[in-house]
Amino acid sequence: MDLTTLTQTSGEWLRGTGPESDIVVSSRIRLARNLAQFPFLGRADDGVRTEIEELLQGPISSLPMKGELTYFDVNSLEALDRQFLVERQLISREHAETHGSRGVGIGPEENVSLMINEEDHLRLQVLRSGFALDDCWEEMNLIDDALEQQVAFAFSEQLGYLTACPTNVGTGIRVSVMLHLPALALTKEIQKVFQAMQKMRLAVRGLYGEGSQAMGDFYQFSNQVTLGPSEQELIDKLKEVIDGIIKYERRVRDELVVKNRQRLHDQVARAHGILSSAQTITSEETMHLLSSVRMGINLGLVDGLEIPTINELFIQTQPAHLQKLRNEKLESAERNVARAAYIRKRMGDSSHENN
Amino acid sequence: MDLTTLTQTSGEWLRGTGPESDIVVSSRIRLARNLAQFPFLGRADDGVRTEIEELLQGPISSLPMKGELTYFDVNSLEALDRQFLVERQLISREHAETHGSRGVGIGPEENVSLMINEEDHLRLQVLRSGFALDDCWEEMNLIDDALEQQVAFAFSEQLGYLTACPTNVGTGIRVSVMLHLPALALTKEIQKVFQAMQKMRLAVRGLYGEGSQAMGDFYQFSNQVTLGPSEQELIDKLKEVIDGIIKYERRVRDELVVKNRQRLHDQVARAHGILSSAQTITSEETMHLLSSVRMGINLGLVDGLEIPTINELFIQTQPAHLQKLRNEKLESAERNVARAAYIRKRMGDSSHENN
């Protein structure tokens, strides 16, 4: 598997077939780990970074998985390829933008991504389509246990796992769920959710993690606390909260359909109409319109389009993906034209009517 | 022919087949005439109005025409039917809204409309598709001459024809041309046209004459002067001015296509996409979007749609037309839904692709 292969496939988590997939796009668990015998990266010179990468490549390539792990030397990738991996949620923006020896091991179907030399020596990530935190955790446990048999992680009896940033100390876990909440966003009820999250010390972010905007009405919910509760407690707490938000979004959707079906149908149909006909379109407008169409499909207001197509379009219409698909570098204005053409093609492939 | 028949047909002038029809929607000439033996309508009581109507019905029904003249007793028509005739440009808003005995004789293919008891005793109107003022004038002359053999019009050797409003005294003529000027409107060049018209004492109005907004980038150009120059001189002057505006609009369209084809194509395609998919749409938005599509067709940016379809949609999507088509009274919100459904149907009928 190389990057070109990745452009022609899409991760399992994008299929949109998992539990509660009308609202939950994906579930993700990541662990932060550091090797005991090396300093944190903030104090590591280039040579040490290279040593860390070399040391970790062996253990991660022999992990128990259903298929082969592919390793990308991120440091030698071009900016476009790094951005491509970010858009695909296989590496973080920080990992793409930092310098020095680093890489990522990607598991079969893109369900596992193991970043070496991100903020910590090792960041383990397991991803699933839909609401499937238990599955994520089960696989993560296997991976973590297998690694601990081969390397010694920095660990304190008192604090737990030691990490570069104190906010990750303890379990080093971040449990997160990506939700599509167009109805809560449309009715501004999402503000109440934000307030509740703050009180429960849960974080809400946009599609690309820290600091990113909630484009397309996608919100990533995750724990902020890593020290104190066990991993299972953190997972269970987030599951409970997400359950409530799912019910909330579903109730507001149903109310909208009952009270304002015409307006909702109009919004969804126009979004579909514009996506099917625009000749140039920005990434932001695309997100916004795809969000409407996605909700419309789930509410039975759109015929002939499937959720997986929309999920893929969210990813494939992003700058680096577009350029990889076309196999050429494109300026912003050219991308807008290429994006519109690609969307028209995909909408045309899977939809034979606009009503 | 009754009103129901009218709803199922459309006037010749809507076909959009006349000269310069990419820009000139229609040409119109109207004459204001009053019977010598009756006072102007401002001084006429109900009895006199009725006498005038009865007296004029005979002469107008025996005019030399290619087909039958249909007479509508406007005073006994319901408000919806009167509005329908206004939307069809067969009577004026004033004629629809005034009170007392009045009517309209409508010629074959809706090319001729003869209003009795509008502002004057008689208003003769000849309409043609495209830029065809000479044809209008030719037919008008035949009608006017034939009438003068049967009735005596109020006429002064010094002033010419006498009219209820002094602005019409003399020739009693209004020569007007309806232009579609989306490129001049888009680039704001239309402001320069307005200034030039003012200097030349020509009037610019919207789709429905005096006081109406220039919705859908339609502008009606007409003479303001009726006293002094002959009818032919007034016609020739307007023809010359319109010729210049047509060239101006065409030049700006060509420039837009060369300099900004992508943006223009995008605007046109989105307008087409929204019209093909919206579930509710106001009259104003419809006008605006149809205007884009109309320009797009003329510039070769739209496939599978014809100008006559668009011209008809401009008329058929208006409030009274929609209600006549559906044969039921509809509130504003219901009309928006019916309008959207009708447009989707018509767009679907004549277009099999959205690209």
Side-chain angles (χ1 to χ4, degrees):
Chain A
M1 183 168 71
D2 59 12
L3 268 174
T4 311
T5 315
L6 278 186
T7 62
Q8 283 147 16
T9 61
S10 70
E12 187 273 343
W13 68 273
L14 269 177
R15 283 194 203 134
T17 50
E20 322 285 4
S21 62
D22 55 331
I23 291 170
V24 187
V25 179
S26 59
S27 301
R28 176 161 59 163
I29 291 182
R30 74 110 167 99
L31 296 182
R33 295 288 184 263
N34 290 274
L35 296 171
Q37 74 267 41
F38 290 100
F40 288 138
L41 290 171
R43 297 179 168 225
D45 62 22
D46 285 356
V48 173
R49 291 181 70 102
T50 306
E51 264 187 85
I52 294 168
E53 190 187 6
E54 283 170 0
L55 192 150
L56 281 171
Q57 271 187 269
I60 69 166
S61 66
S62 63
L63 285 171
M65 279 187 197
K66 283 173 201 155
E68 216 173 318
L69 188 100
T70 311
Y71 192 77
F72 294 103
D73 175 1
V74 175
N75 194 35
S76 71
L77 288 180
E78 282 184 42
L80 183 64
D81 289 337
R82 296 199 304 268
Q83 198 192 339
F84 174 83
L85 291 173
V86 172
E87 290 175 3
R88 225 163 167 86
Q89 316 217 333
L90 293 170
I91 67 173
S92 65
R93 283 200 302 201
E94 295 68 24
H95 201 224
E97 287 163 14
T98 191
H99 294 278
S101 296
R102 64 198 191 281
V104 62
I106 297 169
E109 298 196 304
E110 302 177 34
N111 276 340
V112 173
S113 123
L114 309 167
M115 278 180 279
I116 296 178
N117 292 343
E118 201 243 21
E119 185 179 275
D120 295 290
H121 297 163
L122 188 58
R123 286 271 175 111
L124 315 170
Q125 176 182 275
V126 175
L127 208 62
R128 281 286 184 283
S129 191
F131 197 21
L133 285 174
D134 291 333
D135 287 355
C136 290
W137 184 229
E138 199 181 319
E139 179 156 17
M140 182 59 94
N141 253 324
L142 291 176
I143 292 172
D144 192 34
D145 291 351
L147 281 174
E148 297 227 57
Q149 288 174 7
Q150 299 187 64
V151 294
F153 287 138
F155 186 84
S156 136
E157 284 301 328
Q158 200 194 340
L159 294 170
Y161 290 98
L162 301 176
T163 55
C165 177
T167 59
N168 291 314
V169 165
T171 52
I173 199 172
R174 170 148 287 153
V175 188
S176 65
V177 178
M178 178 85 71
L179 300 184
H180 185 228
L181 304 174
L184 292 177
L186 188 70
T187 57
K188 313 244 188 282
E189 296 286 307
I190 195 77
Q191 294 302 330
K192 292 183 194 162
V193 175
F194 291 163
Q195 285 160 18
M197 292 307 107
Q198 215 164 12
K199 281 182 196 160
M200 286 189 281
R201 301 191 63 193
L202 292 172
V204 189
R205 299 183 172 87
L207 198 50
Y208 292 99
E210 239 156 315
S212 71
Q213 287 291 309
M215 283 201 295
D217 305 324
F218 288 105
Y219 300 89
Q220 207 183 107
F221 292 80
S222 61
N223 63 303
Q224 280 184 312
V225 175
T226 56
L227 186 64
S230 73
E231 290 90 341
Q232 193 61 56
E233 283 166 348
L234 289 167
I235 292 169
D236 290 344
K237 184 187 168 191
L238 192 73
K239 275 170 65 179
E240 194 187 320
V241 170
I242 296 297
D243 255 332
I245 300 174
I246 293 170
K247 288 196 181 78
Y248 193 4
E249 166 73 17
R250 218 167 260 158
R251 194 174 71 233
V252 175
R253 285 187 189 183
D254 291 345
E255 281 170 15
L256 281 174
V257 170
V258 172
K259 287 190 198 158
N260 228 333
R261 187 186 174 85
Q262 198 71 59
R263 205 187 118 221
L264 204 65
H265 191 188
D266 184 55
Q267 185 197 312
V268 166
R270 282 168 181 250
H272 190 187
I274 292 171
L275 288 168
S276 305
S277 58
Q279 301 294 314
T280 171
I281 193 164
T282 63
S283 188
E284 196 176 340
E285 188 185 5
T286 301
M287 289 277 207
H288 177 69
L289 297 176
L290 284 175
S291 173
S292 274
V293 173
R294 193 181 195 279
M295 175 171 64
I297 295 172
N298 283 321
L299 293 175
L301 299 172
V302 177
D303 289 329
L305 267 178
E306 307 283 343
I307 289 290
T309 305
I310 302 302
N311 286 354
E312 275 181 42
L313 278 172
F314 273 112
I315 301 294
Q316 303 279 13
T317 57
Q318 292 176 91
H321 270 76
L322 273 179
Q323 294 173 79
K324 295 297 284 184
L325 278 169
R326 301 273 294 237
N327 206 19
E328 57 180 336
K329 296 217 171 174
L330 301 170
E331 295 302 311
S332 170
E334 296 168 325
R335 286 201 300 271
N336 292 345
V337 172
R339 180 178 296 114
Y342 180 71
I343 297 169
R344 288 202 309 279
K345 185 174 172 295
R346 291 296 306 267
M347 289 268 168
D349 284 349
S350 46
S351 159
H352 297 286
E353 58 169 1
N354 267 344
N355 300 349
Chain B
M1 184 169 68
D2 58 13
L3 269 175
T4 311
T5 316
L6 278 187
T7 62
Q8 283 146 14
T9 61
S10 71
E12 186 274 340
W13 68 272
L14 269 177
R15 281 192 206 135
T17 50
E20 323 284 3
S21 62
D22 56 333
I23 291 169
V24 187
V25 179
S26 59
S27 302
R28 176 161 59 163
I29 290 182
R30 74 107 167 101
L31 295 181
R33 294 289 184 262
N34 290 275
L35 295 171
Q37 73 268 43
F38 291 101
F40 288 137
L41 290 172
R43 295 176 169 227
D45 62 20
D46 284 357
V48 172
R49 291 182 71 102
T50 307
E51 264 188 86
I52 294 168
E53 189 185 6
E54 283 170 359
L55 192 150
L56 281 171
Q57 271 187 267
I60 68 164
S61 65
S62 63
L63 284 172
M65 280 186 198
K66 284 174 199 154
E68 217 171 318
L69 188 100
T70 311
Y71 191 78
F72 294 103
D73 175 2
V74 175
N75 194 35
S76 71
L77 288 181
E78 281 184 44
L80 182 64
D81 289 336
R82 297 199 304 271
Q83 198 192 337
F84 175 82
L85 291 172
V86 172
E87 290 176 1
R88 227 163 165 84
Q89 316 218 333
L90 293 170
I91 67 174
S92 65
R93 282 201 302 201
E94 296 69 23
H95 201 225
E97 287 163 14
T98 190
H99 293 279
S101 297
R102 66 197 190 281
V104 63
I106 296 169
E109 298 196 303
E110 302 177 34
N111 276 339
V112 173
S113 125
L114 308 167
M115 279 180 278
I116 297 178
N117 291 342
E118 201 244 21
E119 185 180 275
D120 295 291
H121 298 162
L122 189 57
R123 286 273 174 109
L124 316 170
Q125 175 182 275
V126 175
L127 207 61
R128 282 285 185 283
S129 190
F131 196 22
L133 285 174
D134 291 333
D135 287 356
C136 290
W137 184 230
E138 199 181 318
E139 178 156 20
M140 182 60 95
N141 253 324
L142 291 174
I143 292 171
D144 192 34
D145 290 351
L147 282 174
E148 296 228 57
Q149 288 175 7
Q150 299 186 62
V151 294
F153 287 139
F155 187 83
S156 140
E157 283 302 330
Q158 202 194 337
L159 293 172
Y161 291 100
L162 302 176
T163 55
C165 177
T167 58
N168 291 314
V169 164
T171 52
I173 200 172
R174 169 147 288 152
V175 189
S176 65
V177 178
M178 178 84 72
L179 301 185
H180 185 228
L181 303 175
L184 291 178
L186 188 70
T187 55
K188 313 247 188 281
E189 295 287 305
I190 195 77
Q191 294 303 329
K192 291 183 194 163
V193 175
F194 291 163
Q195 286 160 17
M197 293 306 107
Q198 215 165 11
K199 280 182 196 160
M200 286 189 280
R201 300 189 64 192
L202 292 172
V204 190
R205 299 184 172 86
L207 198 50
Y208 291 99
E210 238 155 318
S212 71
Q213 286 291 309
M215 283 201 296
D217 305 324
F218 288 105
Y219 300 88
Q220 210 183 104
F221 292 81
S222 62
N223 64 303
Q224 278 183 314
V225 175
T226 56
L227 186 63
S230 73
E231 290 89 341
Q232 193 61 56
E233 283 166 348
L234 289 167
I235 292 169
D236 289 344
K237 183 185 168 191
L238 193 72
K239 276 169 64 179
E240 194 187 322
V241 171
I242 297 296
D243 255 334
I245 300 175
I246 293 171
K247 288 196 182 78
Y248 194 3
E249 166 73 15
R250 218 166 261 157
R251 195 174 68 232
V252 175
R253 284 187 190 184
D254 291 345
E255 281 170 14
L256 281 174
V257 170
V258 172
K259 286 189 201 159
N260 227 332
R261 187 186 175 87
Q262 198 73 60
R263 204 187 117 220
L264 203 66
H265 191 189
D266 185 55
Q267 185 196 313
V268 166
R270 282 167 181 251
H272 190 188
I274 293 171
L275 288 167
S276 304
S277 59
Q279 301 294 315
T280 172
I281 192 164
T282 64
S283 189
E284 196 177 339
E285 188 186 4
T286 301
M287 288 278 206
H288 177 68
L289 297 176
L290 284 175
S291 173
S292 274
V293 172
R294 192 182 195 279
M295 176 171 62
I297 294 172
N298 283 321
L299 293 177
L301 299 173
V302 178
D303 290 329
L305 267 177
E306 306 283 342
I307 289 290
T309 305
I310 302 301
N311 286 353
E312 275 182 44
L313 277 172
F314 274 111
I315 301 294
Q316 303 278 14
T317 57
Q318 292 176 94
H321 270 75
L322 270 180
Q323 293 173 78
K324 297 295 284 183
L325 277 169
R326 300 273 295 238
N327 206 20
E328 57 181 335
K329 298 218 170 174
L330 301 170
E331 295 302 312
S332 170
E334 296 168 324
R335 286 202 300 273
N336 292 345
V337 172
R339 179 178 297 115
Y342 179 71
I343 297 169
R344 288 201 308 278
K345 186 174 170 295
R346 291 297 304 268
M347 290 268 167
D349 284 350
S350 45
S351 159
H352 297 287
E353 57 167 5
N354 266 346
N355 301 349

